[in-house]
Amino acid sequence: MKKIFVSLVILMMSCGVAAANIVYTTAEGGLGMIQISSSSSADVTGVTYNGEAGSIAAPYWENNTSNGTGNSKIIFITPVESNDPELSGDTALRFASSSKLTTPLDNEDKPIILENTYGRPIVASTNGGASLYLATGATVREYDTENFKIRNVYSYKSDDISPNPEIKGVLTTDYRVYVLVARNITVSADLVLSLNGLLTLNTENVEKWELPFTDSRAHTISLLSSSRIAVGCDDGVYVTTKSKTTQLVSTDIPVVAICKDTGKGFYYILQSEDADGTKTNSLYHYEENQEPAALLTGITGNSAQLIKDPKYKVIAALIGEEIALINMEDDDVFEIYTATELGGTVAGGTPISAAASSSSGNSASSSSGCQLTGAGLVLILAMLTKLQFRRK
């Protein structure tokens, strides 16, 4: 069996088409699609476009019409590694929709240049068609989707000693931008920055929601509501707001992925690593006032990501080295796609990315609520171990 690491993007089809599409990328730069047609059925097309290794895909809402409605497109970003500010940034190609992944809209020899963003960015899809957010290091950059020029920049400055602050996640709503920042936890706690939508260097536009001051590192964030953020840490899941932070799930294994369910709960993935560097994953479902339920356990592999299709109430779990589809009505795992079916092999590492959009734009109400990317979650190829899925 061939090995694969992929990034996931879920897109809702417009024009009355009764299907949702999962767009995925392979480590080699392949771009493919899985079409969900109901809460218990799906089909995979395999790779339809071959780009450069390490590229990631994300949807964005392009507000390009006179009445402000616009349409949804896919941007395919290829990382460029550089510390030279005089050089250009990462490159990108656009695709018209998730159903048209064979030919990009842009000339491959003259791609979009994302100035000052270098190497495996965290990508947050736009709200209202105005912006695309990319984060690397301690900086978030806002790009105008009309021309992909930088509109605003926000950098978090910290007095902590080395290592420097690092952005682990970015979420957007119609009114705010949330940024998860990891700091030197021997000095300061990790925190969530709540920005009022203006990415400027004026820090008066920022609220700081500090996580508990422990030796637990934060890894991922997910949107539970317009003002409640779930944070996955070494010791469990915390929910933070402007006024307080509460631990909802306690674990002794790091939580590396979270995604909201259809109610007040969420799905999450635990990922452990042994002395040999082998990673093992387990998927759980937390519901209010109940013990978390294990859905998939003991899955070997580096990948760990969740994204929700709100149309058919399906969770797509990139876990280990395969993609599993789960019906959220009864937590039934109704489909598992292998690397052979997805059509990709692994030649190195690739970051995880995920996002959700609909035919009416990307907003707090239509978003999946799942973290968009993890720049720190660069997946390095490990020895292939046969994956075993067990359901409780």
Side-chain angles (χ1 to χ4, degrees):
M1 182 179 72
K2 293 186 292 184
K3 293 171 281 185
I4 186 173
F5 291 136
V6 299
S7 65
L8 297 179
V9 175
I10 288 187
L11 294 167
M12 305 304 298
M13 297 298 292
S14 57
C15 304
V17 178
N21 291 336
I22 301 172
V23 176
Y24 64 88
T25 62
T26 70
E28 292 179 331
L31 191 61
M33 183 186 73
I34 298 171
Q35 186 178 73
I36 300 174
S37 53
S38 74
S39 60
S40 60
S41 62
D43 294 297
V44 63
T45 65
V47 171
T48 58
Y49 178 81
N50 289 298
E52 296 186 34
S55 298
I56 56 176
Y60 71 96
W61 187 258
E62 186 179 66
N63 190 355
N64 60 0
T65 61
S66 58
N67 61 5
T69 56
N71 53 19
S72 183
K73 287 184 169 62
I74 293 172
I75 190 164
F76 193 46
I77 300 172
T78 298
V80 175
E81 299 288 351
S82 177
N83 293 319
D84 186 350
E86 300 300 321
L87 297 178
S88 299
D90 291 351
T91 64
L93 298 172
R94 296 169 300 156
F95 290 82
S97 71
S98 56
S99 60
K100 298 178 180 179
L101 297 179
T102 57
T103 305
L105 297 173
D106 303 291
N107 187 330
E108 294 168 318
D109 296 326
K110 295 181 179 179
I112 295 168
I113 304 297
L114 298 167
E115 184 182 1
N116 292 340
T117 292
Y118 302 100
R120 294 191 175 95
I122 296 172
V123 185
S125 51
T126 184
N127 288 294
S131 304
L132 185 75
Y133 299 91
L134 303 181
T136 53
T139 299
V140 183
R141 297 176 181 88
E142 178 187 1
Y143 293 84
D144 188 335
T145 57
E146 182 177 355
N147 52 25
F148 290 96
K149 300 297 183 183
I150 292 180
R151 173 180 280 130
N152 287 307
V153 177
Y154 175 80
S155 294
Y156 177 71
K157 305 297 183 182
S158 174
D159 294 330
D160 287 356
I161 60 175
S162 182
N164 292 325
E166 182 181 2
I167 293 174
K168 294 290 188 178
V170 179
L171 297 174
T172 60
T173 69
D174 288 340
Y175 305 104
R176 304 198 73 81
V177 177
Y178 298 97
V179 180
L180 176 63
V181 179
R183 298 190 290 182
N184 184 342
I185 58 175
T186 63
V187 179
S188 302
D190 293 344
L191 53 77
V192 173
L193 301 177
S194 175
L195 298 97
N196 68 355
L198 300 176
L199 296 186
T200 70
L201 294 178
N202 298 320
T203 57
E204 63 267 20
N205 293 325
V206 179
E207 297 173 1
K208 297 179 181 180
W209 302 352
E210 289 208 0
L211 299 172
F213 187 45
T214 68
D215 59 356
S216 176
R217 295 185 180 276
H219 299 283
T220 185
I221 56 175
S222 181
L223 188 68
L224 299 184
S225 69
S226 59
S227 60
R228 295 174 68 242
I229 303 296
V231 182
C233 300
D234 285 341
D235 61 351
V237 179
Y238 293 82
V239 172
T240 183
T241 67
K242 182 178 181 179
S243 58
K244 66 178 181 177
T245 297
T246 304
Q247 187 175 23
L248 291 185
V249 175
S250 177
T251 68
D252 55 5
I253 298 174
V255 177
V256 296
I258 304 174
C259 194
K260 185 182 184 300
D261 64 12
T262 58
K264 295 183 178 180
F266 49 84
Y267 295 84
Y268 62 96
I269 295 177
L270 301 178
Q271 185 177 81
S272 63
E273 183 174 357
D274 64 18
D276 296 326
T278 300
K279 295 177 182 176
T280 303
N281 307 274
S282 297
L283 172 64
Y284 284 81
H285 185 192
Y286 167 84
E287 295 182 271
E288 195 172 31
N289 300 321
Q290 297 184 31
E291 286 295 316
L295 306 182
L296 303 170
T297 61
I299 304 169
T300 303
N302 294 294
S303 302
Q305 183 187 344
L306 299 168
I307 188 70
K308 181 177 68 176
D309 161 31
K311 181 178 179 66
Y312 291 114
K313 299 180 181 179
V314 169
I315 280 283
L318 168 57
I319 186 167
E321 296 174 352
E322 301 183 349
I323 296 177
L325 302 180
I326 299 102
N327 183 344
M328 288 191 287
E329 293 291 343
D330 55 11
D331 282 343
D332 178 52
V333 182
F334 68 88
E335 194 70 72
I336 297 174
Y337 290 108
T338 66
T340 300
E341 293 167 305
L342 296 169
T345 59
V346 172
T350 184
I352 285 177
S353 67
S357 67
S358 73
S359 58
S360 58
N362 185 33
S363 67
S365 59
S366 64
S367 172
S368 76
C370 308
Q371 180 178 324
L372 304 177
T373 63
L377 299 178
V378 179
L379 306 178
I380 306 301
L381 176 61
M383 182 181 297
L384 176 64
T385 301
K386 184 177 180 181
L387 306 180
Q388 294 183 352
F389 288 79
R390 302 198 306 271
R391 292 175 47 211
K392 283 188 177 182

